[in-house]
Amino acid sequence: MELEAHHLRVVRRGQTSLMSLDGMTSPPSVRKSALGTILTVSSAECGDIVLRGVGYVDARAFADEVSKAWIELNVSALDREADRFSRLHAAVASFSRPTRYPSACRIAPLLSDARALDVALLSKLQPEAIGPETTERVTLVRTFVADPRPARSNAIATFVTAELDRWKDFFDTIESKPLTHEQRLSVVVDEDATLVLAGAGSGKTSVITAKAAYLVKAGIRQPEQILLLAFAKNAAEEMSERVEARSGVPIVARTFHAIAYDIIGMVEGTKPALADHATDDVAFTNLIKKILKDFVLTRSEVSKAIIQWFAHFLVEPKTEWDFKTKHDFYTHMEQQDLRTLQGEKVKSYEELQIANWLYESGVGYEYEPVYEHEIHRTGRRDYCPDFRLTESGIYIEHFGVRRQKMPDGSERLITAPFVNREEYLSGMDWKREIHAAHETTLIETYSYERQEGRLLTSLAEKLAPHVIMNPRPADTIYDRVIELKQVDAFSQLLGTFLRKFKSGGYSIADCDAKSERMKLGNRAKAFLAVFAPVFQEYQMRLGGRIDFEDMILRAARYVETGRYVSPFRHILVDEFQDISQSRARLVKALKAQHPDVRVFAVGDDWQSIFRFAGSDIHLMRNFGDEFGGSFDGEAGVHRTVDLGRTFRSVDQIAFAARTFVLKNPAQIQKQIIPAGLATEPAIKVVMTSKGEEEKTLSEVLAAMSAKLDAAHNASVLLLGRYRFLEPDGRDLQRRFPRLRISFKTIHASKGLEADHVVLMNADSGRMGFPSEIVDDPLLTLVSPEEEAFQNAEERRVMYVAMTRARHTLTILASNSRPSSFVVELRKDPAYGIAAAPAAQQDTHECGECGGRVLDVRGQDGRVWYRCEHVEHCGNSLPACPTCCTALPRRADGSAEVRCSCGASYPPCPDCKDGWLVERTGPYGRFLGCVRYPTCAGKAQISPVIGRARRARSKR
């Protein structure tokens, strides 16, 4: 064994090897034994090297020389990295009293450097070689290297506690009222990406104001290093004024479009002209409408695709086979507004296909005409075939049956799950017999033909011998579509799709592939067949101008490629729930230019209601993945702060709104601390009869006005899902001078508040609330993922409406067709909803379809009860003959039908809802169902019933 500089040369059995001293784990050991002295050198690489039988004095002297060289080697290695090590040690030691927030982007480079030094040096240093004091310093750094996350977490907690105390006076005075703990926390937290969950009325503007002022006053950033972003021009101006007024710090807030336009101008030297429709949604929609009209007139192949869309794919192509109950099927049909090109409403999608094909083909028809021959004593309603062709007199019946293969190879006809097969097939036979008996021509079509993709071709073949087709020109059909006001909604859908398509950088191939994955079928294909040429034409008509999507994307590309160098180190974004894919791309590009850029986003995913303008709620729900930093192998590092407290709504409104919006499990959970306690029922549902909406609104406002004392007035905000619901505000203000009454659409009301809110027309229907035209599944083709929850965005719109109210919320809804939201609010006790006394009524289930049976007053003043699905079900019942108001019902297990007034009647043997009353026929008196002629149930009059009738007549 021989020492050579920083190595030991070891000769063993004629073999020579070198062992580096920096691999030694401890000084050499020397001990005496019976066979002489033993010298041992321990190495991490070579293990123990043992030399036996040497002289003790020589072994001791050699060991001392090796130890000295080993210590010098360790110390000199540390000396060479002294500055680097001292800097790392000081940084890690400062975790106990950090002066800046230990964000991932600040600590990650430190960790990377410390790990590199640990591998190269620190892990090789031996405590015995460097001494206890140096060992302690090295251990501190190595402990951080081994487990950095707890060290950073502890440093964050220490910093936040000290910083909140240090800036207490600032937080107490920056706004008119001291900031809450959550607001203060959101200001001092300074992670790579920080998301502040700001519920309705929680003071988000105060947070942004304080954050901007704090960054400058604390010396963290200069004003020009802060980018304050808002979505609307007026919001940006208000924010700029507020920041400077409250803090004295001159920071100019800008819209996304303003900063994008500035970036383009700096890179290109001039700013391109903006498209006329860029700032005008009405002009944008009108441009889409004009493109469609021009295509119909000039491009036959596109014209055909457009007409096909309106004729066969405007509504979702679902049939009764897609539903388990009649109620569900009828509800869906009502939502779809199945109106034909000729203008009438039909009862199924397959009937719509047939009617529109007939219209396209120029074949005149009547829908559900009364059969031309009178049919006597059938016990049925008047026979109304589905279609009658006006020129030829041919009838068409569409039968909802499909074919089912049996185990023996034969086939049988089956009906939808909720349809009685035997009764339906019997009805088919009866109709055939009627036509045969009266020698009228009947053409039959079947659901299985559509299932097999040949419904219309098969119909054409069957009609060919009887009629001459005279197809209508495309422009004639399109003019009809315009008359039916179907173009407006479709143009809005195309416009929303176009903006999201551009914003997300999608291609037609992307959409095609996604529609296949999602099994959206022919409707998606039909839509893309129209959208693709519309988009191409739209781009061409822009010419040298740009729209807002182009503006954002072009700016983002300049930032991504480094043609624009960003001065910004803190990006503060207001109303973050409204961010789109293109805006997010710009923010990410600005963040990526410098390693220390922070994103501070304030928003409320519960108020994300601008999907039609391109907002993408998934960006907020996946905030960390999209904007977060990385630390210790973990990606998406971010911090979320929940403001929690609302300064607006009382407890009943705040908690009901929270419960309502969180029915969608995809919404981010937030705690709510209400502004105060309600002293009276804060949420009321008032049901209105048809034609009495204005009267009911006046009664509600009168009740509000009557509660005010002479010295006070109150603000009332009338909300409607659509602009056309606006009442005569001047008349209302004149009649109720102590109420400050205003009207807004719910979307326009965002950010507003009032003492009392009245939500009008919370009814079901295509133009009801929830709106049944906004959440078209086709929009998922240009969204990162589908919102699976039904009416997801409309539920958030309802949340916005509810949370405009400080003290009371009154919801006006149709007695005969209340919206699903109203039904939910009234049904679930968790909401604590108070119904107005006049609106209290029992809810009865329709025995025919499972819907609700509602009371209505006939023209003669009599009360009737009919199914809510009046166009489909037709179940109608008179009020109790005894009290003339209530509805007799059959209790479970009871042999009679009883009314709440005490009267009882024999149940109908043929239907669930009916009961028997005395009638007179050709053969004398009998008992017949009150639902006649819909139901032909009857029975003989028993002696007991006869005696009871005679006793009543004597009284």
Side-chain angles (χ1 to χ4, degrees):
M1 197 178 288
E2 182 179 353
L3 177 63
E4 292 183 353
H6 298 144
H7 294 85
L8 280 179
R9 179 185 294 277
V10 179
V11 181
R12 189 180 336 207
R13 298 187 181 90
Q15 298 291 323
T16 301
S17 61
L18 292 177
M19 187 193 81
S20 174
L21 293 186
D22 63 9
M24 286 173 51
T25 57
S26 60
S29 66
V30 178
R31 64 183 180 85
K32 295 179 179 178
S33 71
L35 300 177
T37 301
I38 298 174
L39 174 65
T40 304
V41 178
S42 298
S43 165
E45 298 174 2
C46 306
D48 289 348
I49 301 173
V50 181
L51 184 64
R52 306 176 186 278
V54 295
Y56 178 78
V57 174
D58 290 341
R60 183 73 269 165
F62 184 77
D64 289 344
E65 286 297 318
V66 172
S67 294
K68 181 180 177 182
W70 176 58
I71 291 170
E72 286 179 354
L73 180 66
N74 274 263
V75 171
S76 62
L78 191 56
D79 285 345
R80 286 194 298 274
E81 295 286 1
D83 291 342
R84 182 182 178 190
F85 173 71
S86 294
R87 176 173 49 78
L88 289 172
H89 176 266
V92 174
S94 72
F95 288 173
S96 62
R97 51 186 186 284
T99 58
R100 286 283 180 265
Y101 186 90
S103 59
C105 63
R106 291 189 72 239
I107 308 303
L110 173 69
L111 176 61
S112 178
D113 196 13
R115 280 183 167 160
L117 187 61
D118 185 55
V119 171
L121 174 64
L122 302 185
S123 61
K124 300 176 182 178
L125 298 177
Q126 300 301 321
E128 292 182 55
I130 59 177
E133 184 178 341
T134 304
T135 295
E136 185 178 347
R137 298 176 73 226
V138 169
T139 300
L140 180 66
V141 176
R142 296 204 69 204
T143 300
F144 166 65
V145 166
D147 197 7
R149 296 187 195 185
R152 191 173 87 93
S153 296
N154 292 336
I156 289 172
T158 300
F159 171 81
V160 167
T161 301
E163 196 75 351
L164 289 174
D165 184 61
R166 186 159 47 241
W167 288 84
K168 181 180 182 304
D169 290 344
F170 170 79
F171 292 133
D172 285 344
T173 58
I174 184 67
E175 289 286 305
S176 56
K177 293 181 180 179
L179 300 188
T180 66
H181 172 74
E182 292 79 15
Q183 288 175 323
R184 297 168 191 235
L185 180 64
S186 64
V187 172
V188 300
V189 164
D190 201 25
E191 194 52 83
D192 288 32
T194 303
L195 176 62
V196 179
L197 299 176
S202 61
K204 67 178 180 60
T205 308
S206 297
V207 166
I208 292 183
T209 301
K211 181 74 175 185
Y214 166 78
L215 290 172
V216 176
K217 288 180 175 293
I220 299 172
R221 298 297 184 206
Q222 295 299 312
E224 62 272 15
Q225 294 178 308
I226 300 171
L227 176 59
L228 188 51
L229 288 171
F231 279 81
K233 186 177 180 180
N234 58 349
E237 291 170 352
E238 181 184 338
M239 202 175 296
S240 299
E241 293 169 4
R242 185 161 175 170
V243 169
E244 187 162 7
R246 296 289 191 190
S247 65
V249 176
I251 300 176
V252 177
R254 286 185 268 186
T255 64
F256 276 90
H257 298 127
I259 184 63
Y261 217 20
D262 287 346
I263 290 171
I264 294 170
M266 290 180 188
V267 174
E268 298 181 2
T270 59
K271 295 180 180 179
L274 195 59
D276 295 336
H277 62 265
T279 57
D280 187 341
D281 286 340
V282 173
F284 175 66
T285 303
N286 285 340
L287 174 60
I288 301 294
K289 287 161 69 173
K290 188 170 190 322
I291 290 173
L292 289 173
K293 179 68 173 178
D294 291 347
F295 277 162
V296 169
L297 296 174
T298 61
R299 289 179 59 177
S300 59
E301 75 284 1
V302 182
S303 172
K304 184 178 179 182
I306 293 170
I307 299 304
Q308 279 293 299
W309 168 263
F310 283 107
H312 303 293
F313 297 103
L314 184 64
V315 299
E316 212 173 340
K318 288 186 176 181
T319 70
E320 57 265 46
W321 301 90
D322 298 305
F323 301 89
K324 293 181 179 178
T325 69
K326 284 184 181 179
H327 172 54
D328 292 339
F329 173 58
Y330 293 161
T331 299
H332 175 76
M333 289 298 103
E334 289 162 357
Q335 291 172 355
Q336 294 303 307
D337 187 24
L338 300 180
R339 193 168 299 280
T340 69
L341 292 172
Q342 187 163 284
E344 67 271 315
K345 290 187 73 171
V346 292
K347 294 189 175 75
S348 74
Y349 173 73
E350 289 171 352
E351 286 186 351
L352 181 73
Q353 280 191 295
I354 293 169
N356 283 347
W357 180 84
L358 291 171
Y359 187 86
E360 286 180 273
S361 303
V363 178
Y365 70 88
E366 296 175 85
Y367 177 66
E368 291 194 336
V370 175
Y371 187 55
E372 62 191 86
H373 298 286
E374 190 173 348
I375 303 169
H376 299 285
R377 294 191 295 275
T378 64
R380 299 171 181 263
R381 286 180 170 180
D382 289 340
Y383 173 41
C384 298
D386 292 333
F387 301 94
R388 178 180 178 273
L389 305 189
T390 52
E391 288 189 14
S392 62
I394 288 174
Y395 291 95
I396 300 174
E397 281 283 11
H398 180 69
F399 294 127
V401 291
R402 290 185 177 179
R403 295 194 279 210
Q404 181 185 53
K405 264 204 180 307
M406 304 302 290
D408 62 0
S410 63
E411 286 186 343
R412 71 167 192 159
L413 296 178
I414 59 170
T415 54
F418 50 79
V419 176
N420 185 302
R421 176 178 177 273
E422 286 69 27
E423 285 184 11
Y424 194 88
L425 296 181
S426 173
M428 291 172 61
D429 290 337
W430 179 82
K431 291 174 182 177
R432 289 164 178 158
E433 290 167 4
I434 290 294
H435 286 281
H438 294 87
E439 298 182 343
T440 49
T441 303
L442 174 66
I443 300 294
E444 298 182 15
T445 57
Y446 312 96
S447 287
Y448 63 73
E449 291 175 318
R450 175 178 176 267
Q451 189 184 21
E452 295 164 6
R454 58 186 185 89
L455 173 63
L456 301 181
T457 54
S458 175
L459 177 60
E461 292 170 3
K462 294 169 187 176
L463 288 179
H466 308 283
V467 300
I468 297 174
M469 306 294 178
N470 185 24
R472 285 183 167 90
D475 58 336
T476 301
I477 297 175
Y478 192 75
D479 286 342
R480 181 62 183 150
V481 170
I482 293 174
E483 285 179 37
L484 293 171
K485 300 191 185 312
Q486 294 177 340
V487 174
D488 290 353
F490 181 55
S491 299
Q492 289 171 356
L493 174 62
L494 280 171
T496 300
F497 195 94
L498 188 151
R499 283 172 165 165
K500 292 173 77 70
F501 182 85
K502 289 187 74 170
S503 172
Y506 292 94
S507 67
I508 297 296
D510 294 333
C511 296
D512 266 328
K514 193 167 185 180
S515 73
E516 291 290 334
R517 290 197 305 273
M518 296 181 65
K519 296 181 170 56
L520 292 182
N522 291 332
R523 186 167 184 262
K525 288 183 173 63
F527 177 81
L528 293 174
V530 177
F531 173 76
V534 166
F535 177 70
Q536 187 178 28
E537 180 69 15
Y538 170 83
Q539 290 293 96
M540 190 179 75
R541 293 194 185 191
L542 280 175
R545 296 174 179 265
I546 61 173
D547 59 17
F548 281 152
E549 283 67 37
D550 292 325
M551 187 187 295
I552 299 287
L553 291 171
R554 191 182 298 188
R557 283 195 296 272
Y558 287 153
V559 178
E560 288 165 347
T561 56
R563 294 185 65 183
Y564 171 81
V565 179
S566 167
F568 306 116
R569 296 300 193 273
H570 263 81
I571 303 171
L572 281 54
V573 188
D574 188 23
E575 300 286 7
F576 192 77
Q577 74 278 351
D578 295 332
I579 198 166
S580 63
Q581 286 284 331
S582 56
R583 291 182 176 100
R585 179 177 168 184
L586 177 58
V587 170
K588 285 188 270 192
L590 291 168
K591 184 177 186 294
Q593 274 211 353
H594 308 285
D596 63 338
V597 177
R598 319 294 209 282
V599 172
F600 180 82
V602 183
D604 182 8
D605 70 306
W606 296 358
Q607 297 187 72
S608 177
I609 61 172
F610 290 103
R611 187 185 190 189
F612 64 87
S615 67
D616 192 336
I617 194 172
H618 303 94
L619 292 164
M620 185 168 180
R621 289 180 180 162
N622 301 297
F623 180 77
D625 294 338
E626 296 285 347
F627 302 95
S630 58
F631 182 76
D632 188 31
E634 178 187 3
V637 175
H638 69 289
R639 180 79 179 264
T640 301
V641 181
D642 184 353
L643 292 187
R645 183 180 301 277
T646 173
F647 297 97
R648 179 181 301 156
S649 303
V650 293
D651 56 341
Q652 289 181 19
I653 295 174
F655 291 144
R658 178 182 187 274
T659 301
F660 184 83
V661 78
L662 286 180
K663 290 286 185 180
N664 181 355
Q667 302 292 164
I668 301 171
Q669 290 276 341
K670 290 191 282 288
Q671 296 304 311
I672 294 294
I673 303 171
L677 302 178
T679 57
E680 61 177 337
I683 308 179
K684 296 179 182 177
V685 173
V686 178
M687 310 303 285
T688 68
S689 299
K690 187 175 181 180
E692 296 188 352
E693 293 83 2
E694 291 184 13
K695 176 185 174 185
T696 305
L697 175 60
S698 294
E699 290 171 351
V700 168
L701 294 175
M704 289 178 182
S705 183
K707 288 183 178 180
L708 296 173
D709 57 49
H712 293 88
N713 57 21
S715 58
V716 179
L717 178 60
L718 307 180
L719 291 180
R721 179 61 182 81
Y722 305 99
R723 169 62 63 184
F724 67 77
L725 295 173
E726 182 174 5
D728 185 341
R730 281 184 291 186
D731 177 59
L732 292 175
Q733 193 64 71
R734 178 184 56 79
R735 292 163 56 197
F736 305 105
R738 294 166 64 195
L739 300 177
R740 301 189 306 277
I741 302 172
S742 60
F743 171 86
K744 292 285 183 184
T745 64
I746 302 174
H747 283 84
S749 75
K750 207 159 165 295
L752 303 179
E753 59 184 58
D755 295 324
H756 308 285
V757 166
V758 180
L759 175 60
M760 303 187 302
N761 290 67
D763 305 335
S764 62
R766 194 160 175 80
M767 295 293 283
F769 185 33
S771 169
E772 290 155 1
I773 61 173
V774 296
D775 279 337
D776 197 299
L778 291 168
L779 292 176
T780 59
L781 297 179
V782 283
S783 299
E785 59 187 82
E786 182 181 3
E787 281 207 87
F789 199 76
Q790 187 176 18
N791 291 320
E793 176 143 330
E794 287 293 287
R795 183 168 288 266
R796 295 191 291 270
V797 175
M798 182 67 169
Y799 171 81
V800 170
M802 295 173 76
T803 53
R804 299 311 93 197
R806 284 194 284 263
H807 303 302
T808 72
L809 167 68
T810 304
I811 302 172
L812 306 185
S814 166
N815 189 39
S816 60
R817 48 185 183 86
S819 79
S820 58
F821 287 168
V822 170
V823 173
E824 177 185 330
L825 289 168
R826 297 181 72 198
K827 188 176 181 180
D828 191 340
Y831 293 116
I833 306 300
Q840 295 287 359
Q841 68 175 94
D842 293 329
T843 301
H844 304 293
E845 183 177 295
C846 175
E848 297 298 303
C849 72
R852 292 171 301 133
V853 178
L854 305 165
D855 64 315
V856 293
R857 192 169 294 274
Q859 292 182 349
D860 58 359
R862 295 172 59 195
V863 175
W864 286 79
Y865 286 82
R866 72 182 182 199
C867 178
E868 63 177 314
H869 304 301
V870 63
E871 295 179 3
H872 297 274
C873 178
N875 188 9
S876 180
L877 297 153
C880 170
T882 302
C883 66
C884 298
T885 56
L887 179 67
R889 303 296 281 171
R890 189 187 323 201
D892 292 339
S894 173
E896 57 186 5
V897 179
R898 286 188 171 275
C899 179
S900 57
C901 74
S904 63
Y905 307 93
C908 175
D910 290 0
C911 68
K912 290 183 180 180
D913 287 336
W915 64 90
L916 301 179
V917 294
E918 288 189 30
R919 297 185 184 279
T920 302
Y923 306 105
R925 303 190 68 79
F926 68 99
L927 294 177
C929 182
V930 293
R931 296 180 62 235
Y932 180 84
T934 302
C935 175
K938 57 187 175 181
Q940 293 182 345
I941 298 178
S942 69
V944 174
I945 295 174
R947 286 196 298 273
R949 178 175 59 81
R950 287 192 294 273
R952 284 199 298 271
S953 66
K954 288 179 181 179
R955 291 198 296 270

